[in-house]
């Protein structure tokens, strides 16, 4: 008989302790993991960054990852965008009654592996079990704390006309992967999610130059949404060269068939970086040596023209304003 999560696992008694010991503690063990009500931690010397994320991706397992891997990457990458070395994570699980214990363990194992790669420690957490039908499988919330490197101050407000815009790899793969896994379109591809922890990538860039104005994680809403957010924050314009934007051929094909725009498909292992043009080639060279950014590219620049807008130069040389996204194109991709 397949072992499943029961309501008793969330009641705070013996079964709860067994679940924590056999699944979570077994995978998350480290010197800072606590069995008490709160972790006691050594604070960073300088400034801290803190971020929290909820993950409800459907399906919870997809080519290239699962909700566990995603929950670590999402928060670690948000900290990295602020130039912060990830130090500590807490995680809270809401699990549906009847959820297979084997799948829960697979999720925990993915979190263990990804946290180890990112160099972050899971130090505390919470487990709740909801009745059948109240939750779709498992939801995870992670909160992270990181130490901002000296001399780093990144923000969407800091974009300046003349900045080069760099994307750290091909775009839209996560959104495309989840969409194809969820829906029965009859499209056969080898597309996998780009889900990855990116602190090592950001650290390599910042070790090469601290003159970086913006680092943003292109998750829900994709690169296009990030660019619109930065344009609004900085009150500057964004000029893109469509021919320079890296898109996997299979992703491009799926988008063509389904009428989707790759710029608005979610990424979970890609960042948008804005920095002075005279630093751009150096940053690009560093990115191409990192495992998750070998096909990084300069895709445009920040301008004084068209403040608050994203203007796209098409492959035939014409210019058009990229339409802002509306509604929800792909629900539950993170």
């Amino acid at each position: 008989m397949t072992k499943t999560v029961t309501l008793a696992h969330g009641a705070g008694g013996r079964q709860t302790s067994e679940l924590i010991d056999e699944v979570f503690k077994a995978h998350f063990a480290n010197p800072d993991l606590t069995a008490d009500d709160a972790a006691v931690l050594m604070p960073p010397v300088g400034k801290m960054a803190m971020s929290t994320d909820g993950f409800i991706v459907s399906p919870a397992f997809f080519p290239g990852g699962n909700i566990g891997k995603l929950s670590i990457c999402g928060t670690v990458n948000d900290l990295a965008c602020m130039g912060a070395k990830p130090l500590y994570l807490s995680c809270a699980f809401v699990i549906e009654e009847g959820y297979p214990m084997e799948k829960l363990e697979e999720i925990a194992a993915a979190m263990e592996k990804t946290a180890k790669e990112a160099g972050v420690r899971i130090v505390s957490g919470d487990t709740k079990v909801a009745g059948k039908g109240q939750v779709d499988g498992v939801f995870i919330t992670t909160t992270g704390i990181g130490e901002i490197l000296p001399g780093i101050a990144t923000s969407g407000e800091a974009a300046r006309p003349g900045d080069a815009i760099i994307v750290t790899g091909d775009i839209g793969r996560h959104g495309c992967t989840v969409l194809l896994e969820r829906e029965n379109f009859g499209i056969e591809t080898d597309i996998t999610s780009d889900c990855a922890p990116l602190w090592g990538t950001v650290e390599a860039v910042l070790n090469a130059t601290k003159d970086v104005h913006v680092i943003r994680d292109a998750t829900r809403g994709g690169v296009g949404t990030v660019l619109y957010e930065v344009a609004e924050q900085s009150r500057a314009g964004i000029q893109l060269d469509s021919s320079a934007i890296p898109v996997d051929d299979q992703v491009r094909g799926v988008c063509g068939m389904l009428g989707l725009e790759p710029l608005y498909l979610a990424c979970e292992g890609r960042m948008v970086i804005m920095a002075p043009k005279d630093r751009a080639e150096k940053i690009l060279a560093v990115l191409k040596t990192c495992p998750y950014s070998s096909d990084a590219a300069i895709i445009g620049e920040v301008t004084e023209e068209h403040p608050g807008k994203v203007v796209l130069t098409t492959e035939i040389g014409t210019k058009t304003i990229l339409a802002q996204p509306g509604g929800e194109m792909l629900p539950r991709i993170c």
Side-chain angles (χ1 to χ4, degrees):
M1 174 183 267
T2 302
K3 190 175 180 182
T4 63
V5 177
T6 68
L7 289 175
H9 284 112
R14 176 175 56 84
Q15 290 94 335
T16 301
S17 296
E18 290 174 353
L19 176 64
I20 292 171
D21 289 343
E22 295 173 8
V23 177
F24 300 131
K25 188 176 179 181
H27 287 284
F28 301 163
N30 67 76
D32 292 313
L33 180 66
T34 184
D36 295 319
D37 287 343
V40 178
L41 308 170
M42 291 298 295
V45 174
K47 290 183 177 181
M48 296 187 301
M50 181 175 179
S51 181
T52 192
D53 296 275
F55 298 90
I56 61 172
V57 62
S58 177
F61 292 79
F62 47 84
N66 61 43
I67 192 172
K69 179 181 180 180
L70 186 64
S71 71
I72 302 297
C73 291
T75 296
V76 163
N77 293 349
D78 282 348
L79 294 173
C81 286
M82 305 309 296
K85 177 182 179 179
L87 299 177
Y88 309 115
L89 287 179
S90 69
C91 59
F93 288 79
V94 180
I95 309 164
E96 183 182 22
E97 176 190 10
Y99 195 75
M101 199 70 74
E102 182 180 2
K103 286 187 175 294
L104 187 62
E105 181 131 18
E106 189 176 344
I107 288 168
M111 294 174 73
E112 174 189 18
K113 180 180 179 181
T114 309
K116 183 177 181 180
E117 180 182 352
V120 69
R121 289 180 173 180
I122 299 171
V123 297
S124 66
D126 182 59
T127 304
K128 296 289 189 296
V129 178
K132 191 73 175 177
Q134 292 181 313
V135 176
D136 184 8
V138 59
F139 294 166
I140 304 174
T141 298
T142 49
T143 298
I145 296 175
E147 180 178 8
I148 298 176
L149 297 185
I152 303 301
T154 60
S155 170
E157 297 177 352
R160 297 289 179 266
D163 282 355
I165 301 172
I166 301 168
V167 67
T168 61
D170 64 291
I171 66 171
R173 275 205 284 131
H174 179 75
C176 192
T177 299
V178 171
L179 177 65
L180 293 178
E181 191 71 7
R182 181 191 303 149
E183 306 292 346
N184 185 22
F185 290 119
I187 301 173
E188 294 186 8
T189 73
D190 297 321
I191 301 170
T192 60
S193 171
D194 57 0
C195 184
L198 299 178
W199 166 243
T201 302
V202 173
E203 185 179 31
V205 169
L206 297 179
N207 283 339
T209 176
K210 289 183 168 55
D211 195 4
V212 176
H213 295 162
V214 180
I215 307 176
R216 293 294 286 269
D217 190 12
T219 53
R220 183 172 49 188
V223 170
T225 297
V226 164
L227 294 174
Y228 260 108
E229 290 172 350
V230 172
E232 183 175 345
Q233 284 183 272
S234 63
R235 298 183 181 180
I238 301 291
Q239 177 70 55
L240 297 182
D241 178 359
S242 63
S243 64
I245 300 170
V247 182
D248 179 86
D249 287 342
Q250 293 186 87
V251 172
R252 194 185 300 277
V254 171
C255 288
M257 284 188 282
L258 300 180
L260 300 174
E261 169 54 66
L263 282 165
Y264 288 130
L265 289 181
C267 308
E268 288 292 346
R270 301 291 182 254
M271 289 183 169
V272 175
I273 298 174
M274 299 183 189
K277 283 183 181 179
D278 61 0
R279 298 287 189 271
E281 290 298 337
K282 184 176 186 179
I283 292 171
L284 195 63
V286 169
L287 288 171
K288 288 183 177 295
T289 68
C290 297
Y292 299 120
S293 54
S294 58
D295 55 350
I298 298 171
I299 63 171
E301 65 178 304
V302 181
T303 69
E304 293 181 347
E305 299 175 341
H306 309 293
K309 300 293 184 183
V310 178
V311 177
L312 190 67
T313 300
T314 68
E315 294 182 358
I316 61 173
T318 60
K319 292 185 178 182
T320 183
I321 293 178
L322 183 69
Q324 286 184 273
E328 184 65 87
M329 290 172 55
L330 297 177
R332 297 191 54 181
I333 47 75
C334 64

